[in-house]
Amino acid sequence: MRDETSLNPPVSIKDGRGGIEKKLTGIPRKSQLALLVAPSALWLIILLVLPLITMIGLSFQKSAFGPGSDVFTFASYLNFWQNSAYQGLLGKSLWISLVVAVMSIVLAYPVAYFLAFHAGDKQGMLLNILIIPAWTSFLLRVLAWRLILGSNGLLNTFLIWLGVIQEPISGLFYSVNAVIITLVYIWIPFAALPIYVALLRIEPGLLEAASDLGARPWQGFFKVTLPLSIPGVLAAFLYVFIPTVGEYVTPALVGGPNGLMIGNIIWDQFMRGLDWPMGATLSLIVMLIVLLPLMFIAKAAQQTGLFGGKSE
Amino acid sequence: MNKPQTSIFGSVYFVLMAIFLYLPIFILILFSFNDSTVLAFPLKGFTLDWYRQLGNARELLISARNSVWVGVLSSILAVALGSLAAIAMTKHHVPARNLFLSLASVPLVMPSIVLGVAMLVFFRKVLGLDLNMWLIAAAHVLISIPSTILIVMARLADFSANLEEAAMDLGANYWVTLIKVTLPISFPALVAAFLTAFTTSFDEYAMTTLITGTDTTLPVYLYSLLRFPRRLPVAVAMGSIIMIVSALLVVLAEWLRRWGTARTPKEERV
C-alpha cells in the first residue's frame, strides 16, 4: 500500500473555495475527517469496547442481578483457579484448536501451492471452487457431517459395503474426533487463502536462482518457497486457531458429552441462567489466551518485516 | 510464474480436495429429494414434497424473511460506515490510524461467543433493552466492518488521486468529488463488500443466537429445528436452495472484486 500521505507536508487549510484544499490527500478539515471516521469509530466503541468493559466489570461481581451485583469479588477467578474441570476443558479446547489448525494447514498447503504455481489461467476459477463451500450454510454443513459420521451414516454404510468392517464404527460420531474432522473440513478453505496469497508474493526469480545454483526442486521448496510462505502459514494458523478456541456449535452438534469445549460451558452459564459472572470470567480468559499470541505474532511480524512491510 | 508446469500430483490432490469439500453439500441436496422424514441412509425414494411444503412452512419463511431484512440493513450500513472509514484511511493522514485499524480488525479475530456474550450482557444489563432484530442488525454491522474497510481500502489504493485532483481543480468541492468521482470508481468494491457482508450476516449463528429474542433469523431457526427431526427435511430443502443462491452470490462478488482490481499487480492483491 502506498503511503504518500505521510510524506506530504501537511497542507494548511482555511478556505475550501480558494483552492488551497486541492488534493484529497493531505489533511482535510477536521470536520470532514470526523464525518468519515466517526460513524465506524462510534459503532466499534458502542458495540465492542463498551460491552467488553461491561464484561470485565461483570466478572468481578458476585451475581449479575439483585443485591449481589454490587459486591466486588474475585470469586469467579478463584473458582476458575481451583476448579480443575474448567481448566481441563480449556486445555482440551486449546488442544483441539491446535490439532485442527495444524491439520487444516497441512491439508490446505498443497492446494494453495497447486493454485499458486500450477493452475495457470484457471487460477481464478479454481479459487472460486475452493471458497464457495465456505460461504454456504455453516449449520447445514455440520448437519451433513452428522449424516456422514453417524452409525447409519455414509462412511459406515460405505465401509460395510466394501467389506472393510462388519459392524458400524460407533466411535466416529459424538466424539472429539468428529469435532476435529468437521472443523478441519470447515476451515480448509480459510487456511488455504492466506497461504495462497503468500505463495503468490514469492518472486519466481528466487526459485530460478536456486535451481541455477544447483538446488534440486525439493531443496528449492524447503529452502526458498516454504520459508517465504511462513507469513501465510502463520496467518492461516490464526484464522483457524482463534475462532476454534471459542467454538461451541460444532461440539454441541457432533461432539457428544466427550467432545464438549470451553465455549459450551460459557454458553451454559449465560443461556441456562447459571452464573453470568463465571461466564464472563471464562469469556475473558478465552479472549486473553487468544489475543495474546496474536499480539505477540503481530509485534514480531512488525519488527522483522515478516509480512512484507504492509502498512497495516 | 506465468509458465505453469503441469503437476499431476497437484491436480489429483485438488480434485480429491474438491470432492471432500463438496461431498457434504451434495449429500444435503440429495436428502432434500429423499422420500423419508428420517435423515439417514439408505435413501428411500425420490420426492419433491419437501420443496412443495416450503410454501406452507410459515415459521421457516418468516425467519428467512427476517434474515434477509437483517442482512440487507446491516450490509448497507456496514458498507456505508466501512467505505467512509476506508476513504479516510487511504486518502488522509488520520491521527491514530494504526489504533483505529487495530480496533476495527478486532471483530475479525474475536471468538463469536465472546462477542455475543459481551453484547448480551451490555444490552440486557447496562442498557436494559429487550433483545430484538435491530440489535441483531447492529451486531452484524460490527462483524462486517473489518471486511468492508479492507475491501474498499484495497480498491481505493489502486487508482491514482489524479481524477480527484482534476475534479477539484475544475471546482468541485470535497463532498461532490467524493460522490461524483470516488464513489463511482469504488463501486465494484462497494458491491463486493455488500455481498460479503450479506453472506456473513445471513449465515451468522454462533453470535446471533446469544442476542436473539422472540424474532429469529434463519440460522437460529434451523438450529432449533434440529430438535424436531420431522420438520428437518423441509429446512434441508430450503437450505439447498439457499446454498445454491449463496454460491451464485459468491461467484458474483468474486467476479466484481477481480474486475475491480484487474489492473493491480498481483503482489498487492489480498
Side-chain angles (χ1 to χ4, degrees), chain A residues 2 22 24-25 36 39 43 54 64 107 118 127-129 137-140 147 154 185 242 248 253 263 270, chain B residues 5 13 21-22 28 39 81 91-92 109 113 117 125 138 157 164 168-169 174 203 206 209 219 226 239 254 258:
Chain A
R2 291 167 307 146
K22 276 241 172 95
L24 274 175
T25 48
L36 293 174
W43 216 274
T54 311
L107 287 171
H118 296 295
L127 192 65
N128 271 337
I129 289 179
S137 170
F138 168 80
L139 280 177
L140 288 176
L147 301 178
L154 183 69
Y185 164 79
I242 290 175
Y248 70 97
L253 285 175
F270 284 95
Chain B
Q5 304 117 317
Y13 188 84
L21 290 175
Y22 282 87
L28 276 179
L39 291 187
L81 298 184
K91 302 280 161 201
H92 302 305
V109 296
I113 188 153
V117 158
K125 235 178 84 70
E164 290 162 341
M168 294 190 119
D169 283 343
Y174 184 80
D203 194 34
T209 182
L226 295 179
E254 189 57 20
R258 270 159 198 286

Side-chain angles (χ1 to χ4, degrees), chain A residues 173-189:
Chain A
F173 192 38
Y174 282 140
S175 67
V176 176
N177 290 339
V179 176
I180 291 176
I181 293 171
T182 308
L183 285 173
V184 167
Y185 164 79
I186 298 281
W187 288 120
I188 280 176

Side-chain angles (χ1 to χ4, degrees), chain A residues 133-190:
Chain A
W135 287 105
T136 60
S137 170
F138 168 80
L139 280 177
L140 288 176
R141 280 181 299 145
V142 176
L143 175 68
W145 277 97
R146 284 163 69 123
L147 301 178
I148 295 173
L149 298 174
S151 55
N152 288 322
L154 183 69
L155 193 60
N156 272 322
T157 314
F158 183 65
L159 289 178
I160 290 172
W161 179 76
L162 274 185
V164 180
I165 52 171
Q166 258 68 51
E167 298 279 302
I169 313 172
S170 56
L172 280 174
F173 192 38
Y174 282 140
S175 67
V176 176
N177 290 339
V179 176
I180 291 176
I181 293 171
T182 308
L183 285 173
V184 167
Y185 164 79
I186 298 281
W187 288 120
I188 280 176
F190 290 91

Side-chain angles (χ1 to χ4, degrees), chain B residues 160-196:
Chain B
S160 81
N162 289 342
L163 287 170
E164 290 162 341
E165 282 170 28
M168 294 190 119
D169 283 343
L170 292 170
N173 74 21
Y174 184 80
W175 298 107
V176 171
T177 310
L178 272 190
I179 290 165
K180 297 239 165 177
V181 181
T182 316
L183 192 65
I185 287 173
S186 29
F187 191 69
L190 298 186
V191 177
F194 176 87
L195 292 176
T196 308

